[in-house]
Amino acid sequence: MLAAPLRWSPCLNPLTSRRLATTLLSLSLLGTPALAEAPKPLTKAQEASRAEAARLVSAFLGHTPLMTDLQSLVDEVGGRTTGSPANLRSVEWALARFREAGVDARKEAFQMPSLWLERSASATVRGAGVGYSPRIAAMPYSTATPKGGLTAPLLDIGKGTEKDFKALGEKTKGALLLVETAELKDVDGLFREYVESAELEQRAFAAGAAGVVYMGSRPNNLLYRHNVSVGARNTRPMMVMERDGALRAQRLLRAGKALTLTAELDIQSGPAYESYNVIGEIRGSTRPDEVVVMGAHLDSWDLGTGALDNGANVVALIDVARQMKRLGIKPARTLRFALWNGEEQGMYGSAGYTKTHEAELDKHVMASSFDIGCGRITGFFTGGRPELPPLVDQALEPVKGLGPFTQVDATIVGTDNYDFMLHGVPNLVANQEPALYGPNYHARSDELDKCDPQQLRLNTAITAALAYGFAQMDAKLPRQSRAQVEELLRTTDLEQQMKSFGQYEDWANGKRGRKGNAVAVPESR
């Protein structure tokens, strides 16, 4: 019933099926002496694991509820900001999906530091002979305006460089600053936005600005959420204005027209509160105390319905767990399929997990995050751990026909690997082709039609191979000490990333990350 109007196939198309079939054939031939270079004899356990991996990957050749689940999550539950009624519905939705598949599931509480939800946002630009009302969206952690709105001079701050601020001088005090942005084209531009906005906002706060108004960077006047860099510590109204409306204001200002902006932001805010992660678990058969975490965040911003960010990866993890249970596959290590909340506000759900399970983290073999939409998985970021890429290659062997895969040994901040990295746990982030991710990021347009169902199914097969591979392999990397994590900060751009995302202070003051200076000792088998 769902397939026809939305034009997706319940199974893979012939080309995609051939790619998976070729992958499975190559996997089966790896053990054939005539076709392999000096093959090492496989143990019975290795042969069994290889057969199980092939069975698991082949499950995604046919119909699974993957896209039905995605439509249900995004169209029925909808946008699911942590702290909203929709988010609480998403928790129950995910628990039900796991349990219907026979997967043990539970919700785990964690604390959100504060509540932030936009009720409404509106603005009016006025000047001599000028008046219009562009659409705006409040930035997460913006303050509310007084009833009736805040009216202040609207000034053109250009791109917000140091030179731009010096040119305006004292005029910035008490003004709303209109920031010029480039149109967003790709994920690289998205990360650049985070870096530039963090620096710009510090200048604006120091200059005494009443608030910041970003020209929308998305095409077609899309509105979106972009976190204030200082998070809950923010004390000013902050907003994004639709691109055409902002360009109009910029032209008027540059023509010498004096303008004011009246912004009315109605924000529901509050103190710390309890939210929930959802954990689906398949207990290990021979090494149950060792844990592999497969993670994707369940929450989303509310303007769209969160298909790319991050519903697609949520349903992929659920489907991997579902197929493992259906096939009776019993991993050696415990697999935890973690659906995080509070990610968009600052990765608070995964941070809460590391606190709740801190005593178990020495036994966490790997924690992964899938969070870049429906683009093809091209490999993984491996967190500045050079010994990790070969293990990822090993785990992905059953799906090498869906590659090539390239591992990038770089640290990544901005998704739910982050607190595992700060706690010294080997961590991965799926690296994906941008596809439609960048322009639709946190935007009104993040809807079901932006996700390619065929590619999502292939990504799910890759995810399954990674999960099973790490659950079965003999290798286990040691957990890093705090001193070793600090060395990562010194030798990579990790510290700068943390500052751009407003996360460094909590690390520096000990609120997040591993405590103490004990040196990790390699574990032998």
Side-chain angles (χ1 to χ4, degrees), residues 194-350:
Y194 274 104
V195 172
E196 292 174 352
S197 63
E199 296 170 350
L200 180 151
E201 288 167 17
Q202 289 301 318
R203 296 183 191 116
F205 302 155
V212 176
V213 183
Y214 284 94
M215 176 188 292
S217 64
R218 311 304 166 78
N220 304 315
N221 288 325
L222 283 174
L223 289 176
Y224 55 94
R225 303 272 186 226
H226 186 106
N227 288 17
V228 178
S229 61
V230 294
R233 300 189 299 276
N234 177 57
T235 59
R236 292 168 171 80
M238 308 283 284
M239 66 206 81
V240 173
M241 181 183 291
E242 61 180 351
R243 189 168 185 84
D244 285 345
L247 285 167
R248 179 180 176 185
Q250 183 189 66
R251 289 192 300 269
L252 288 165
L253 290 168
R254 292 183 179 181
K257 182 75 71 174
L259 299 177
T260 63
L261 177 70
T262 300
E264 187 163 5
L265 305 179
D266 185 4
I267 305 297
Q268 181 184 353
S269 59
Y273 65 97
E274 191 171 74
S275 185
Y276 304 94
N277 298 319
V278 177
I279 308 293
E281 181 167 304
I282 299 178
R283 186 167 173 79
S285 58
T286 59
R287 288 173 270 173
D289 59 328
E290 295 184 3
V291 178
V292 175
V293 175
M294 305 295 292
H297 69 86
L298 180 60
D299 64 315
S300 75
W301 286 120
D302 55 330
L303 295 175
T305 57
L308 296 176
D309 191 15
N310 188 37
N313 291 305
V314 165
V315 301
L317 292 188
I318 291 172
D319 209 29
V320 171
R322 177 190 288 124
Q323 299 311 317
M324 292 186 80
K325 289 297 289 187
R326 182 181 69 82
L327 295 169
I329 292 174
K330 297 178 179 179
R333 294 183 170 110
T334 293
L335 279 168
R336 285 183 185 160
F337 299 89
L339 308 182
W340 311 114
N341 269 315
E343 191 273 349
E344 297 292 9
Q345 291 92 338
M347 296 89 73
Y348 289 112
S350 48

Side-chain angles (χ1 to χ4, degrees), residues 25-46:
L25 178 61
S26 66
L27 177 63
S28 67
L29 293 177
L30 283 173
T32 305
L35 297 176
E37 291 186 11
K40 295 180 180 179
L42 297 178
T43 66
K44 288 185 177 180
Q46 288 172 327

Side-chain angles (χ1 to χ4, degrees), residues 24-231:
L24 295 171
L25 178 61
S26 66
L27 177 63
S28 67
L29 293 177
L30 283 173
T32 305
L35 297 176
E37 291 186 11
K40 295 180 180 179
L42 297 178
T43 66
K44 288 185 177 180
Q46 288 172 327
E47 288 178 349
S49 290
R50 180 164 290 177
E52 292 289 68
R55 281 209 306 145
L56 179 59
V57 170
S58 68
F60 302 100
L61 279 168
H63 172 70
T64 75
L66 185 69
M67 290 304 295
T68 304
D69 279 354
L70 183 57
Q71 183 176 23
S72 175
L73 178 60
V74 302
D75 286 351
E76 296 171 17
V77 178
R80 42 202 180 275
T81 306
T82 305
S84 69
N87 185 265
L88 292 176
R89 291 198 304 273
S90 75
V91 169
E92 298 306 317
W93 179 93
L95 285 170
R97 286 302 189 277
F98 276 129
R99 289 168 179 168
E100 288 166 5
V103 177
D104 291 338
R106 61 187 182 271
K107 62 181 183 181
E108 292 188 352
F110 68 93
Q111 188 174 75
M112 287 289 293
S114 60
L115 176 68
W116 189 95
L117 297 169
E118 180 196 278
R119 292 193 185 101
S120 64
S122 62
T124 301
V125 176
R126 294 186 178 92
V130 174
Y132 68 100
S133 297
R135 295 180 308 123
I136 63 169
M139 294 173 64
Y141 294 116
S142 169
T143 61
T145 57
K147 190 172 183 179
L150 168 71
T151 299
L154 182 65
L155 300 183
D156 175 14
I157 195 64
K159 294 181 179 178
T161 64
E162 288 185 20
K163 183 179 178 180
D164 292 328
F165 274 89
K166 286 180 181 178
L168 280 184
E170 293 296 311
K171 294 178 183 178
T172 56
K173 288 185 178 178
L176 290 166
L177 305 180
L178 178 63
V179 179
E180 179 182 355
T181 66
E183 187 172 309
L184 184 68
K185 301 291 187 182
D186 51 33
V187 174
D188 289 340
L190 182 61
F191 280 99
R192 188 163 53 251
E193 277 189 5
Y194 274 104
V195 172
E196 292 174 352
S197 63
E199 296 170 350
L200 180 151
E201 288 167 17
Q202 289 301 318
R203 296 183 191 116
F205 302 155
V212 176
V213 183
Y214 284 94
M215 176 188 292
S217 64
R218 311 304 166 78
N220 304 315
N221 288 325
L222 283 174
L223 289 176
Y224 55 94
R225 303 272 186 226
H226 186 106
N227 288 17
V228 178
S229 61
V230 294

Side-chain angles (χ1 to χ4, degrees), residues 449-470:
D449 65 314
K450 306 306 185 300
C451 183
D452 178 349
Q454 301 289 355
Q455 188 57 60
L456 178 58
R457 193 170 294 282
L458 294 178
N459 286 352
T460 307
I462 294 166
T463 302
L466 186 83
Y468 188 69
F470 271 89

